[in-house]
Amino acid sequence: MGNQTSLTKRACPVTVSLSPRQYIELRGNRRRVLQHFYIQVRPLARALEEENAGRIDILVDQEGRPHTVGNLERELGATNHFVIGPTISFAIPLRADDRTEFFQLDVHVCTPDLFDWQFILYSYADAWCILDLCAQNFGFSIDGTGLHLRVAEIEKTHPQDCLVHLTSDPEAMMRFLHLDANRFAYGFWTLHDLFSWVTRSRIFKRRFIKMTASGFEHRIFERPMHLVFRTEWLPQWVEVGADVDFGSQVDRTSLTREALSFFNKTDAHSDKILQYRVATIMLWKKIAKALPLKGAGLNHAMKSLMAHLQWRDGALVLIPTEHLYYDEVPSFGRDEGKTYVDEIVVPWVLAHWREAVALFNRSGSGGSTTTPLR
């Protein structure tokens, strides 16, 4: 992404810090070259981190003329390139007769129909990573395709298929998050200006900014901009993002309700829940039909399974304590399909239903568990 440290090796053997005049001149020259190959070409905001001062980022969309990366390298005057995901990074000599100093040109190839959205996401990308970390705590997600809402009722059992797409309109997203779109369009000259803008969002809470992380989050946390934000800027502004600040009373439930109304997604949200509730009913009916029981014995076994069967990390397990909420009960939607239920779920239940009954009997519920078949 633009304005963040590359996650791989750099294309350039040596990058120089470009002066404002050099940056504008080189960016303009390479933009004109790219316009021969792409229909939409738009430079991203200049990186604010010192270590990225030798890099130019440009977003492109829709090929206007067939070409290869080799064609681009030659026309751009580059000596080397590498490709990672949708980004092509070129090493370009600062002067044609000198191969000791280079600047890096990152060409980001946009997903079709998402040019405006990905333009704002690639611009000041680490800032959007900060906002996404906060958004996750309110049940939202910001990614390369738009702003999404995670449906709480099915998030535990279907984390990969619980999203409702809210918008890919940057201005609508900023209005909802209480971000100043005009200030963003104007651009930021310092990290302080950028951080001040980010932290004015109503979803920003300093308690969501962890001091340590692992896995993918670790790669985000250790990038220069995020590191400066966490270890230098935020400690200086102790009142920013405190619970007494902007929208301190906002919680996930109220923000979900507002988002569904704001983006007109109430029906999509309800349909997503209904889809899985119907799938749940069909699943339990199929299990009931497969169990070698009838009458009271079948009812008792079904209540036992409903009380103790849970879907965790992609596997069925029996938990010692009973379910308290509907969303803890396994359900299966369109992605798993009939074959998955028939070949994996039902055989597993047939092999473990007696264990569920034993757990249920030990709990002393006597059939008090609420059934999700309602």
Side-chain angles (χ1 to χ4, degrees), residues 1-6 10 23 43-49 51-53 55-58 106 108 119-129 184 188 191 194 223-226:
M1 285 188 178
N3 297 306
Q4 67 183 30
T5 304
S6 175
R10 284 185 169 273
Y23 178 85
L44 300 175
R46 188 177 187 184
L48 297 175
E49 313 93 320
E51 76 158 28
N52 290 325
R55 195 186 74 230
I56 297 171
D57 295 275
I58 297 180
D106 283 358
H108 307 277
F119 176 77
I120 67 105
L121 209 64
Y122 278 120
S123 297
Y124 313 109
D126 279 348
W128 292 110
C129 288
F184 182 88
F188 305 97
L191 285 176
L194 178 60
R223 291 204 287 261
M225 184 186 289
H226 202 293

Side-chain angles (χ1 to χ4, degrees), residues 6-35:
S6 175
L7 298 183
T8 66
K9 63 181 181 179
R10 284 185 169 273
C12 302
V14 179
T15 53
V16 297
S17 180
L18 300 174
S19 68
R21 181 176 179 179
Q22 285 177 314
Y23 178 85
I24 293 172
E25 180 181 349
L26 294 170
R27 183 186 66 182
N29 290 341
R30 271 56 192 189
R31 180 183 186 181
R32 287 189 287 273
V33 171
L34 291 171
Q35 285 173 332

Side-chain angles (χ1 to χ4, degrees), residues 40 42 59 61 110-111 113-123 168-171 174 184:
Q40 294 191 86
R42 189 185 300 176
L59 184 68
D61 181 27
C110 177
T111 303
D113 303 321
L114 288 171
F115 192 81
D116 290 339
W117 176 264
Q118 294 192 352
F119 176 77
I120 67 105
L121 209 64
Y122 278 120
S123 297
S168 296
D169 180 342
E171 290 193 6
M174 290 189 209
F184 182 88

Side-chain angles (χ1 to χ4, degrees), residues 119-157:
F119 176 77
I120 67 105
L121 209 64
Y122 278 120
S123 297
Y124 313 109
D126 279 348
W128 292 110
C129 288
I130 292 170
L131 283 169
D132 183 51
L133 289 174
C134 295
Q136 296 285 343
N137 288 275
F138 286 106
F140 296 86
S141 176
I142 302 170
D143 64 18
T145 62
L147 174 67
H148 309 271
L149 171 69
R150 299 199 312 277
V151 181
E153 289 83 350
I154 61 175
E155 182 179 5
K156 290 183 180 179
T157 54

Side-chain angles (χ1 to χ4, degrees), residues 252-269:
R252 178 171 182 172
T253 301
S254 62
L255 210 55
T256 292
R257 189 182 306 113
E258 183 180 341
L260 294 176
S261 174
F262 185 89
F263 296 107
N264 193 26
K265 294 291 183 176
T266 301
D267 288 346
H269 182 262

Side-chain angles (χ1 to χ4, degrees), residues 193-231:
D193 290 342
L194 178 60
F195 294 156
S196 297
W197 179 81
V198 167
T199 55
R200 283 185 170 85
S201 170
R202 62 168 162 176
I203 66 169
F204 179 80
K205 300 293 179 184
R206 66 189 303 125
R207 68 177 184 272
F208 296 151
I209 306 300
K210 306 172 187 175
M211 291 299 107
T212 60
S214 59
F216 177 73
E217 281 190 345
H218 179 74
R219 298 195 300 179
I220 296 173
F221 280 29
E222 295 308 313
R223 291 204 287 261
M225 184 186 289
H226 202 293
L227 198 60
V228 170
F229 178 72
R230 286 187 300 114
T231 63

Side-chain angles (χ1 to χ4, degrees), residues 155-175:
E155 182 179 5
K156 290 183 180 179
T157 54
H158 292 80
Q160 302 304 317
D161 195 29
C162 68
L163 298 180
V164 171
H165 178 261
L166 296 176
T167 187
S168 296
D169 180 342
E171 290 193 6
M173 181 266 292
M174 290 189 209
R175 285 199 305 273

